[in-house]
């Protein structure tokens, strides 16, 4: 069985975040790092693809596909901040309605800038996403 191409690396999250451009995106990424650390209590890992992940879980689908993935995290992309916090098992529309300006993917949010959202609501969403994920898979801290 093939494994995920996206894997945790030994690279420094802090060093990576210091290279994010432009400066406003870097500041948002560093603020997200602090927020995720505070909410989860975990140290992040830099995953291939420049994703900052917190915690881990192992999965095995009915199809037989299995692997390991980070429980929550983000990636400071050029066009937006990709926030990986909704595992897709629950409806978070109530929280999302209070969040602020965002776009929603299948299991992530896209933010143009952190200032467009209510950070307290984002923290609530991170916690809700982790709780929901933990009902489906065993989540371990990092």
């Amino acid at each position: 069985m093939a494994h995920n191409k996206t894997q945790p690396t030994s690279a420094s999250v802090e060093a990576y975040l210091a290279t994010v451009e432009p400066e406003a995106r870097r500041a948002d990424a560093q603020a997200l790092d602090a927020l995720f650390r505070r909410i989860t209590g975990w140290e992040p890992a830099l995953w291939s693809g420049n994703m900052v992940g917190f915690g881990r879980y192992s999965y095995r689908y009915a199809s037989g596909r299995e692997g390991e993935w980070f429980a929550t995290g983000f990636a400071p992309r050029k066009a937006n901040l990709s926030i990986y916090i909704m595992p897709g098992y629950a409806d978070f529309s109530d929280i999302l309605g209070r969040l602020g300006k965002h776009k929603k993917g299948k299991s992530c949010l896209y933010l143009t800038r952190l200032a467009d959202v209510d950070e307290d609501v984002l923290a609530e969403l991170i916690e809700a996403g982790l709780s929901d994920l933990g009902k489906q898979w065993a989540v371990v801290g990092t």
Side-chain angles (χ1 to χ4, degrees), residues 1 59-67:
M1 170 123 349
Y59 61 86
R60 181 178 176 95
Y61 298 134
S63 67
R65 178 176 169 84
E66 60 184 20

Side-chain angles (χ1 to χ4, degrees), residues 19-94:
T19 68
V20 171
E21 292 292 336
E23 185 176 335
R25 179 73 73 223
R26 179 172 51 250
D28 280 352
Q30 291 167 331
L32 281 171
D33 180 43
L35 178 67
F36 275 88
R37 286 174 190 252
R38 181 175 58 83
I39 295 302
T40 66
W42 300 329
E43 290 295 315
L46 187 64
W47 288 60
S48 53
N50 293 332
M51 293 182 278
V52 179
F54 295 80
R56 292 183 186 190
Y57 69 100
S58 296
Y59 61 86
R60 181 178 176 95
Y61 298 134
S63 67
R65 178 176 169 84
E66 60 184 20
E68 186 175 75
W69 200 256
F70 56 87
T72 191
F74 67 94
R77 305 287 185 216
K78 186 173 186 164
N80 48 45
L81 299 162
S82 297
I83 315 286
Y84 306 102
I85 53 178
M86 302 178 305
Y89 305 115
D91 177 11
F92 295 111
S93 57
D94 174 58

